[in-house]
């Protein structure tokens, strides 16, 4: 499974599919080019929309939209984003913002928009049926009766899911991050360079690293973030 901002998919979707990627999550926080640019700071909406089309053409098993919703910024687009996903036969997950990295654009506590608020907005337009279906990730899914789409809610603040966490992340520098919300990590690049080709050593280090995997995050939107690493350095 790959999580991406979609901007390189017009170029790389085919190669990723050939390389064996089956499922792909694409971040899309707005369908308004101006708002999209403001929310992503650098993103171009048309590039991401072209990326979504390219992913569909490449024929991945599953494509899902991920949207981070902020109050008074894009919360008004929730029904449109679901409509966008439904028109393309995709699922969509709404994510409560995680306080990773120092930002100047907005006050995270002020912009916080909970999954329950998003769900209530959606129920003005659609019928949501809870489902036990899962993708192995933290989303709590609902079927949207009027469509073939499932909507998921990833709620690190309002419905903490750390106790069932099964995730570690490998950064592009070979750092194994044991928790998105903490800095606990193991330098796998160092291990591979020190013990080239030694799979047993690598397995041993991976197993041992689980001993330092934190129980969960300590996110607090009312204080300055403790994790200075931005989400785009972690990849989601
Ligand atoms: S333990 Fe860490 S990685 Fe796991 S769900 Fe909680 S914050 Fe995310």
């Amino acid at each position: 499974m790959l999580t991406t901002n979609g901007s390189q998919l017009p170029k790389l979707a085919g190669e990723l599919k050939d390389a064996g990627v089956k499922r792909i999550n694409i971040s899309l926080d707005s369908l308004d080019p101006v708002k999209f640019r403001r929310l992503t700071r650098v993103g171009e909406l048309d590039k991401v929309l072209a990326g979504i089309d390219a992913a569909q053409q490449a024929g991945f098993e599953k494509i899902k939209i991920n949207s981070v919703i902020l109050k008074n910024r894009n919360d008004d687009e929730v029904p449109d984003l679901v409509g966008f996903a439904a028109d393309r036969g995709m699922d969509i997950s709404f994510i409560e913002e995680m306080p990773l990295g120092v930002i100047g654009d907005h006050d995270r506590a002020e912009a916080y928009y909970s999954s329950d608020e998003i769900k209530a907005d959606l129920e003005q337009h659609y019928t949501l049926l809870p489902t036990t279906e899962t993708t192995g990730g933290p989303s709590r899914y609902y079927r949207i009766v009027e469509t073939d789409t499932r909507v998921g809610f990833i709620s690190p603040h309002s419905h903490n899911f750390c106790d069932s966490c099964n995730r570690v992340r490998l950064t592009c520098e070979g750092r194994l991050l044991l928790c998105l919300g903490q800095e606990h990590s193991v330098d796998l690049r160092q291990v591979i360079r020190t013990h080239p080709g030694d799979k047993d050593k690598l397995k041993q280090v991976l197993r041992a690293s689980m001993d330092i995997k934190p129980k969960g995050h300590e996110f607090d939107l009312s204080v300055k973030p403790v994790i200075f690493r931005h989400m785009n350095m972690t990849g989601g």
Side-chain angles (χ1 to χ4, degrees), residues 99 108-109 218-226:
R108 285 193 165 116
E218 288 145 28
F219 293 151
D220 179 346
L221 293 172
S222 63
V223 297
K224 281 241 166 294
V226 289

Side-chain angles (χ1 to χ4, degrees), residues 119-130:
K119 185 167 169 284
D121 292 348
L122 262 184
E123 285 169 331
Q124 310 282 323
H125 304 265
Y126 296 103
T127 314
L128 272 56
L129 274 186

Side-chain angles (χ1 to χ4, degrees):
M1 200 269 291
L2 179 78
T3 297
T4 170
N5 64 20
S7 61
Q8 302 305 307
L9 286 176
K11 232 178 11 198
L12 298 175
E15 285 175 52
L16 289 167
K17 176 78 174 31
D18 296 346
V21 174
K22 293 186 172 48
R23 290 173 32 208
I24 202 162
N25 291 349
I26 305 171
S27 303
L28 181 68
D29 297 341
S30 175
L31 296 167
D32 172 324
V34 177
K35 223 191 278 183
F36 184 88
R37 164 66 76 148
R38 202 173 50 236
L39 287 166
T40 59
R41 294 185 287 276
V42 291
E44 288 168 42
L45 178 60
D46 56 356
K47 270 196 184 161
V48 175
L49 296 180
I52 293 170
D53 292 342
Q56 289 216 286
Q57 277 142 31
F60 291 101
E61 272 177 28
K62 197 90 191 141
I63 303 170
K64 179 164 75 83
I65 300 292
N66 278 349
S67 301
V68 174
I69 301 298
L70 301 174
K71 190 185 285 181
N72 303 329
R73 279 128 186 113
N74 61 344
D75 60 289
D76 59 330
E77 291 195 62
V78 166
D80 295 344
L81 287 162
V82 167
F84 176 91
D87 290 349
R88 287 160 183 75
M90 297 175 186
D91 289 343
I92 182 166
S93 281
F94 291 109
I95 306 172
E96 292 175 348
E97 185 184 28
M98 296 185 203
L100 296 182
V102 176
I103 55 167
D105 174 66
H106 59 269
D107 170 328
R108 285 193 165 116
E110 177 268 324
Y112 173 60
Y113 203 65
S114 77
S115 297
D116 297 335
E117 289 171 292
I118 297 169
K119 185 167 169 284
D121 292 348
L122 262 184
E123 285 169 331
Q124 310 282 323
H125 304 265
Y126 296 103
T127 314
L128 272 56
L129 274 186
T131 169
T132 54
E133 295 165 271
T134 173
T135 56
S139 270
R140 289 168 302 118
Y141 281 106
Y142 292 75
R143 280 242 156 241
I144 301 179
V145 174
E146 296 82 358
T147 75
D148 293 333
T149 284
R150 290 181 305 179
V151 59
F153 296 99
I154 300 178
S155 324
H157 306 291
S158 60
H159 298 268
N160 186 305
F161 43 80
C162 293
D163 53 6
S164 61
C165 177
N166 59 359
R167 304 214 150 189
V168 292
R169 292 163 176 85
L170 185 62
T171 69
C172 55
E173 305 107 351
R175 195 167 151 224
L176 185 72
L177 287 170
L178 294 155
C179 171
L180 187 63
Q182 306 279 6
E183 286 297 8
H184 301 58
S185 68
V186 175
D187 184 349
L188 294 185
R189 179 171 58 181
Q190 179 66 25
V191 175
I192 291 167
R193 287 188 174 164
T194 317
H195 306 275
D198 188 342
K199 288 196 181 141
D200 292 337
K201 180 65 187 175
L202 191 56
K203 281 186 195 153
Q204 184 205 335
V205 170
L206 284 170
R207 284 200 192 94
S209 67
M210 293 307 119
D211 297 340
I212 61 164
K213 181 170 170 49
K215 292 225 167 333
H217 67 69
E218 288 145 28
F219 293 151
D220 179 346
L221 293 172
S222 63
V223 297
K224 281 241 166 294
V226 289
I227 303 291
F228 295 99
R229 163 183 29 93
H230 276 272
M231 184 59 104
N232 63 0
M233 292 164 71
T234 312

